[in-house]
Amino acid sequence: MYSSSPADAPLVREPLHAPVAHLVRGGVVEGIHYGSVVVLGADGRVEFQLGDIEAAFYPRSAVKPLQAVAMLRAGLPLDGALLSLAAASHSGEERHLAGARRILDLAGLTEDDLRNVPDMPYGPAVRDAWIREGRQPSRLAQNCSGKHAAMLWTAKLNGWSLDDYLDPKHPLQQAIQEIVEDLTGQRVARVTVDGCGAPLFSLSLHGLARGLSRITTAAPGTPEAQVADAMRTHAEMASGAGRDVAALMRAVPGLLAKDGFEGVQVAALPDGRAIAVKIADGANRARIPVAAAALARAGVDPGLLTEFAGEPLLGGGEPVGRVRAVRALDPVELPACA
């Protein structure tokens, strides 16, 4: 445990976001994405910040590694690929569905016990194939099914009720909130419902980065280290084939990374350096280039991050610009220009 007395919850206010990414077409800034960025050093101190890193926000699925740690602390006996799936926002590939079924089988449960929202697979190619085949939305295909299967098994192991495992007052969710507060070092500001139906805790961007940093720096054999090892070793199980977050972990040795809906990205290195990003308008196209720039700012070799610098903007089918992080995020500040 890290703190017997977490700090007060972050303030619920309108975040004071700043420009974090430019859409540059033909040398002209065509559009601007606002957001916030924090970079932590190995000692946990804030080395760089842009925008508002202390306001309360919802980390969405970026909090899943912390939730997985909480379930291990509560007795969940998962490791390897299945543990990675428990922290996943998966694409709905057959391996993901099979993994969720396996967790349910180990728990002596079935898909009917899940309470997440039925959905089509998150991965575009997988979803298109489902539509062509006439398959219907299912709870297993929904991108959080691994987490929900793990939640059910954790509840069963502890003798807690199953039908209401998503109630924020359920012992499972109370135990998860306690560990989220422990890892982030701050009280939860608000609790709402995530898209999948699970409780969603409001934190600060600073707290989210601190939480993942504590996971990557934990001693071997701890629940934190187990989650980090599982996700890094089985990156595609935590996401899917072709997903940028898996590619990022493959590109940067030792990196643990997790994305979340509405433009959230968090990542941490084994020495404790960490970054967290929130894109104000939720734009996915700005999330990875800003995160890559923040990692370079944290000291990651920019040569490892080239493929994440930003998607091209097309004109007549040819590249005429790209989405790029603002100059303030450059490792060495340069004169402002498009």
Side-chain angles (χ1 to χ4, degrees):
M1 308 296 281
Y2 296 101
S3 172
S4 59
S5 181
D8 291 341
L11 291 178
V12 177
R13 65 185 184 215
E14 181 178 348
L16 302 174
H17 291 304
V20 294
H22 288 158
L23 282 68
V24 181
R25 181 184 296 270
V28 173
V29 176
E30 183 178 33
I32 301 173
H33 288 293
Y34 284 71
S36 296
V37 181
V38 61
V39 176
L40 302 184
D43 59 1
R45 296 182 183 179
V46 175
E47 290 194 340
F48 176 84
Q49 61 181 300
L50 187 61
D52 194 341
I53 69 169
E54 303 295 355
F57 89 117
Y58 289 118
R60 304 300 296 269
S61 288
V63 79
K64 283 177 178 173
L66 285 67
Q67 293 173 311
V69 169
M71 287 188 277
L72 290 186
R73 286 188 177 275
L76 181 67
L78 284 180
D79 59 12
L82 293 183
L83 177 55
S84 183
L85 184 64
S89 300
H90 65 71
S91 292
E93 299 161 17
E94 287 303 323
R95 59 178 159 179
H96 300 132
L97 276 60
R101 287 192 197 96
R102 178 59 179 158
I103 295 172
L104 291 169
D105 287 344
L106 290 168
L109 301 169
T110 70
E111 182 178 356
D112 291 338
D113 294 299
L114 295 170
R115 293 291 179 267
N116 58 322
V117 178
D119 200 358
M120 301 295 281
Y122 175 66
V126 186
R127 183 172 59 248
D128 289 348
W130 272 54
I131 293 171
R132 287 194 302 271
E133 295 165 7
R135 300 172 73 174
Q136 299 301 309
S138 78
R139 297 185 193 277
L140 278 179
Q142 197 271 334
N143 76 89
C144 303
S145 63
K147 178 183 76 174
H148 281 257
M151 284 182 170
L152 277 168
W153 195 9
T154 305
K156 186 174 182 180
L157 288 167
N158 284 277
W160 297 329
S161 57
L162 301 184
D163 288 347
D164 60 343
Y165 75 94
L166 295 182
D167 188 325
K169 296 181 180 179
H170 190 280
L172 169 69
Q173 302 303 337
Q174 291 291 298
I176 291 174
Q177 180 173 337
E178 178 183 351
I179 299 305
V180 168
E181 291 179 336
D182 180 42
L183 290 169
T184 61
Q186 62 184 181
R187 299 292 182 191
V188 167
R190 296 277 177 88
V191 181
T192 188
V193 182
D194 209 340
C196 66
L200 177 61
F201 309 121
S202 183
L203 311 166
S204 71
L205 200 64
H206 185 183
L208 178 64
R210 183 166 51 230
L212 204 70
S213 174
R214 286 175 169 173
I215 288 175
T216 59
T217 56
T222 60
E224 293 91 332
Q226 288 178 262
V227 170
D229 290 344
M231 292 181 69
R232 288 184 296 222
T233 303
H234 305 277
E236 282 77 16
M237 202 65 165
S239 52
R243 294 272 293 280
D244 54 32
V245 69
L248 191 62
M249 284 193 277
R250 297 292 187 213
V252 181
L255 186 72
L256 176 63
K258 184 69 187 76
D259 53 344
F261 281 165
E262 296 301 322
V264 182
Q265 182 70 54
V266 64
L269 291 153
D271 65 1
R273 287 175 291 160
I275 65 98
V277 170
K278 164 64 181 174
I279 305 300
D281 62 3
N284 208 41
R285 65 180 177 182
R287 172 182 53 84
I288 276 291
V290 173
L295 285 168
R297 185 89 191 202
V300 173
D301 180 357
L304 300 175
L305 302 166
T306 304
E307 66 176 293
F308 309 104
E311 65 182 60
L313 300 179
L314 303 181
E318 297 296 328
V320 293
R322 66 186 177 99
V323 180
R324 63 146 289 153
V326 295
R327 295 293 187 185
L329 273 162
D330 287 343
V332 177
E333 299 239 0
L334 300 173
C337 64

